[in-house]
Amino acid sequence: KATKLVKLPQGRIKLEQALFNITGTADLLHDHTIDLQFSGDHPDFKQLFAFAPANIGKQLEHFHYDGVLGFKGSIKGPIKKGVQPHIELRFSCTNGWLHNTQTNKKLDSLAFNGYYTNGDSNSLKTSLLRMKNMYARPGQGLFKGSFSIHDFADPKVRMQISSDLELGFFGSFLGIKDLERITGRINLKM
């Protein structure tokens, strides 16, 4: 009996300079149903920026960065017009840092855990993005927080933030001249 089940053994996909592992199946007989799992091979920031549009990548050229970015996800369900498969993605960052080489400003100790799903209905309406245990040391400041976005069709945001930040750092770090002139500190708990 002929089968139209395609099995994808552990494979690798290269996107820009980032490598990804992928494995799974595709049932070409029944609604082109897929069951794919993917993860980072050598997780780092190159994988995150591999998904950035070309114009964003150009703006990030003067940033040096490092850190361990891990992710693991799955895509399951039919691939056909008007139907979305179910998507789940878990990701994290540890020991991250970003250095703007033009302004010599550094965001250090970057860390977070995240989760994304398109939910029970596999739609924008049931989508959820959650970021937890976010931590960073921008210059002499400190940032801690978490947030979630529910219902991407009509977004609802929940967040908790605790920060002590030097305002001028952000203008310098981002290279925005008008913001470099701002001085002072902001302590925020929300």
Side-chain angles (χ1 to χ4, degrees), residues 22-39:
I22 188 166
T23 187
T25 61
D27 184 345
L28 303 179
L29 194 59
H30 302 96
D31 292 331
H32 299 285
T33 300
I34 61 169
D35 183 356
L36 300 175
Q37 293 78 45
F38 54 92
S39 62

Side-chain angles (χ1 to χ4, degrees), residues 3-66:
T3 180
K4 292 198 176 188
L5 182 67
V6 176
K7 292 183 181 181
L8 180 64
Q10 182 82 22
R12 289 180 153 182
I13 293 177
K14 186 171 186 177
L15 178 62
E16 297 295 327
Q17 295 182 17
L19 285 173
F20 302 92
N21 293 325
I22 188 166
T23 187
T25 61
D27 184 345
L28 303 179
L29 194 59
H30 302 96
D31 292 331
H32 299 285
T33 300
I34 61 169
D35 183 356
L36 300 175
Q37 293 78 45
F38 54 92
S39 62
D41 187 35
H42 297 291
D44 64 25
F45 276 79
K46 288 178 187 165
Q47 291 177 326
L48 177 64
F49 295 137
F51 293 104
N55 62 331
I56 299 295
K58 185 79 173 156
Q59 293 174 17
L60 296 173
E61 284 180 351
H62 60 275
F63 282 88
H64 288 178
Y65 46 84
D66 199 5

Side-chain angles (χ1 to χ4, degrees), residues 38-143:
F38 54 92
S39 62
D41 187 35
H42 297 291
D44 64 25
F45 276 79
K46 288 178 187 165
Q47 291 177 326
L48 177 64
F49 295 137
F51 293 104
N55 62 331
I56 299 295
K58 185 79 173 156
Q59 293 174 17
L60 296 173
E61 284 180 351
H62 60 275
F63 282 88
H64 288 178
Y65 46 84
D66 199 5
V68 179
L69 181 69
F71 66 93
K72 184 180 268 191
S74 64
I75 304 173
K76 296 179 181 182
I79 303 279
K80 61 182 181 177
K81 189 174 183 172
V83 178
Q84 289 286 326
H86 185 70
I87 301 169
E88 291 203 18
L89 176 64
R90 294 186 184 282
F91 51 95
S92 64
C93 173
T94 58
N95 302 320
W97 56 264
L98 297 167
H99 178 226
N100 183 332
T101 58
Q102 290 180 343
T103 63
N104 199 29
K105 296 290 182 184
K106 189 174 180 182
L107 185 134
D108 209 1
S109 302
L110 181 62
F112 57 80
N113 294 311
Y115 173 75
Y116 169 79
T117 180
N118 59 357
D120 294 340
S121 297
N122 305 330
S123 68
L124 290 176
K125 182 89 179 137
T126 58
S127 288
L128 165 69
L129 172 65
R130 183 175 293 136
M131 298 281 290
K132 294 171 55 175
N133 304 317
M134 297 181 340
Y135 182 87
R137 294 205 51 95
Q140 298 300 312
L142 174 65
F143 176 87

